[in-house]
Every structure is written in structure tokens, then in C-alpha cells.
């Protein structure tokens, strides 16, 4: 069966520090991968999606970047965190453009102080 | 106006009540998702619908493509059903946009 792992679960980082959140998927190949952010009390906002290794699409201009160095690995990064980067970050995967089997990771709660 | 509207925004009910959460959308879609977000933040996909009705345990999801409306029903509600329920729609395949269009969510509280 397919599983998705996301870590860390919580993170407190000072303003200006770098960020690296990692997401890996097991049990499938060539998944579509997504990074979402959910600000407190708000809905989900798609940040990045990837349909293959090295292929990253950005939905929202921001202080963040994403990379997909391997088929089942998706990394969210920042060189210098801003206070506004605080939020709940979720990784997800799906099978192809039909988005069958949309599955979320457990999320990372990031607090920038 | 948002492309995906959920109602109600908040719902508090007593254990055992029949629950209905509604989702209306204004765009053409290829599929609609219902998801559940637990208080801790984790999100679980409940259903993906493109037509008709699906049932899983005490949860039932229906969709009316012509009316652009979907409902999520919970029978014999229980406090553990307390969560935020989110509706999201996917544009047709000819649209290469991989985004889901998300509703704002319905916060459900079931009191014992």
C-alpha cells in the first residue's frame, strides 16, 4: 500500500533562518506531488506541484522554493524565513492528472519567531 | 464569489443526529473531493466523486452534476466525527491546471 511521510511534525525557527521540509512517498511510482500551506483559520493554498523529477510548478509567488530530486521525494525550502511563512504545511500525492487517490501527509506546523 | 462554497461554516449537533454538509460550485468539474481535517491538522480523503453517490460506513456523499452541488451526510453522528470537512473540486482533464479548488471548510462539533 502507498504511504506518505512528512517531517518534522513541528518546527520553530527564527526569522531569517533557512527551512527544509521533506516529504517522501512509498508504494507508488511517478506520483504527482504537492505542497500546500494552511494559515491559521484559513483554507488550503497550493504552493507547488510536481509531475516528475525536476519538474516544479509554482502557484503562488513567495519566499519558498521546492525541489524534487528523486521520484518520490519532494522538498520545500526557504533561504530566509519570514514571519508570514508561519503556518501548517501539508504534502500530498495523487495518481496522475485525474488526481485519483489524493493523499495528504500528516503536516508540519511551522512557527517563525 | 468563491468558486466553491460550503455551508454551513460551523455546525454543532448532538450525538446521534443526522448531519448534512453542503458544497456548491460554479465551475465545470471532472471530480469532487470530500476531505476531513482532524483537530491536530491531519487531512484524510473521504471520497472522490464524479457522479451519483458513494457510501463508506456512516458517511454518504452525493453529487448532482447538473445542479453543481454535493452533499456529505453523516448518520448516527458521534463526537469522534468532530472535524473540519472540506470540499474541493478538480477542473476537467482538458485543463492542465493541477489545482484543486478548495472550499473554506465546515467545522463540525458533535456534543455527547
Amino acid at each position: 500500500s502507498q504511504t506518505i511521510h512528512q517531517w518534522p511534525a513541528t518546527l520553530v525557527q527564527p526569522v531569517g533562518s533557512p527551512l527544509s521540509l521533506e516529504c517522501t512517498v512509498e508504494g507508488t511510482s511517478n506520483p504527482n506531488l504537492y505542497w500546500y500551506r494552511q494559515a491559521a483559520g484559513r483554507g488550503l493554498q497550493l504552493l507547488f506541484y510536481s509531475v516528475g523529477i525536476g519538474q516544479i510548478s509554482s502557484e503562488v509567488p513567495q519566499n519558498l522554493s521546492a525541489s524534487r530530486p528523486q521520484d518520490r521525494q519532494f522538498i520545500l525550502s526557504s533561504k530566509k524565513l519570514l514571519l508570514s511563512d508561519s503556518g501548517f504545511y501539508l504534502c500530498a500525492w495523487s495518481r496522475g492528472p485525474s488526481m485519483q487517490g489524493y493523499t495528504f501527509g500528516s503536516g508540519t506546523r511551522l512557527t517563525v519567531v | 464569489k468563491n468558486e466553491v462554497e460550503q455551508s454551513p461554516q460551523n455546525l454543532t449537533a448532538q450525538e446521534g443526529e443526522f448531519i448534512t454538509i453542503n458544497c456548491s460550485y460554479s465551475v465545470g468539474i471532472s471530480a469532487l473531493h470530500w476531505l476531513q481535517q482532524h483537530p491536530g491538522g491531519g487531512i484524510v480523503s473521504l471520497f472522490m466523486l464524479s457522479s451519483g453517490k458513494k457510501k463508506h460506513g456512516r458517511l454518504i456523499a452525493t453529487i448532482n452534476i447538473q445542479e453543481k452541488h454535493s452533499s456529505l451526510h453523516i448518520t448516527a453522528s458521534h463526537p469522534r466525527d468532530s472535524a473540519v470537512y472540506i470540499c474541493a473540486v478538480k477542473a476537467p482533464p482538458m485543463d492542465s491546471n493541477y489545482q484543486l479548488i478548495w472550499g473554506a471548510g465546515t467545522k463540525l462539533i458533535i456534543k455527547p
Side-chain angles (χ1 to χ4, degrees):
Chain A
S1 64
Q2 300 86 13
T3 56
I4 179 168
H5 302 280
Q6 186 181 340
W7 66 93
T10 59
L11 193 58
V12 180
Q13 291 284 98
V15 168
S17 64
L19 173 74
S20 180
L21 302 181
E22 189 164 342
C23 174
T24 59
V25 180
E26 295 178 0
T28 188
S29 59
N30 197 31
N32 287 353
L33 296 170
Y34 312 86
W35 277 111
Y36 283 90
R37 176 170 60 199
Q38 186 178 38
R42 304 282 298 275
L44 286 159
Q45 179 187 40
L46 180 65
L47 302 175
F48 301 96
Y49 69 86
S50 171
V51 301
I53 295 173
Q55 300 178 61
I56 309 294
S57 296
S58 174
E59 290 297 314
V60 183
Q62 60 219 316
N63 182 41
L64 302 167
S65 62
S67 62
R68 186 170 177 174
Q70 300 180 43
D71 181 43
R72 289 169 288 178
Q73 184 185 29
F74 204 25
I75 297 171
L76 182 68
S77 303
S78 174
K79 291 182 180 177
K80 287 186 178 181
L81 284 169
L82 306 171
L83 286 173
S84 58
D85 292 324
S86 293
F88 189 60
Y89 290 83
L90 287 151
C91 177
W93 79 273
S94 71
R95 296 186 192 94
S98 70
M99 301 176 106
Q100 188 87 22
Y102 212 89
T103 305
F104 283 87
S106 54
T108 296
R109 195 164 300 281
L110 171 66
T111 304
V112 182
V113 296
Chain B
K1 188 179 188 300
N2 293 331
E3 293 171 302
V4 178
E5 296 273 0
Q6 281 187 241
S7 63
Q9 285 186 309
N10 295 282
L11 178 58
T12 300
Q14 290 297 130
E15 183 173 357
E17 286 189 38
F18 181 81
I19 303 298
T20 296
I21 298 170
N22 297 299
C23 176
S24 296
Y25 51 92
S26 57
V27 296
I29 69 167
S30 60
L32 181 144
H33 295 255
W34 280 105
L35 306 105
Q36 179 192 53
Q37 184 168 29
H38 296 285
I43 295 181
V44 175
S45 178
L46 300 174
F47 297 103
M48 188 178 85
L49 293 164
S50 55
S51 65
K53 176 180 175 178
K54 286 190 176 180
K55 184 176 189 293
H56 186 254
R58 294 181 294 105
L59 299 175
I60 303 165
T62 63
I63 188 168
N64 185 317
I65 298 294
Q66 287 73 30
E67 294 185 3
K68 295 186 175 178
H69 181 268
S70 175
S71 293
L72 177 69
H73 305 286
I74 305 174
T75 61
S77 60
H78 189 276
R80 64 175 175 265
D81 297 325
S82 298
V84 175
Y85 292 84
I86 306 169
C87 169
V89 301
K90 172 67 178 73
M94 68 280 287
D95 185 345
S96 61
N97 187 337
Y98 281 82
Q99 283 216 45
L100 291 179
I101 307 171
W102 298 84
T106 295
K107 185 174 183 180
L108 173 66
I109 297 173
I110 303 296
K111 294 185 173 180

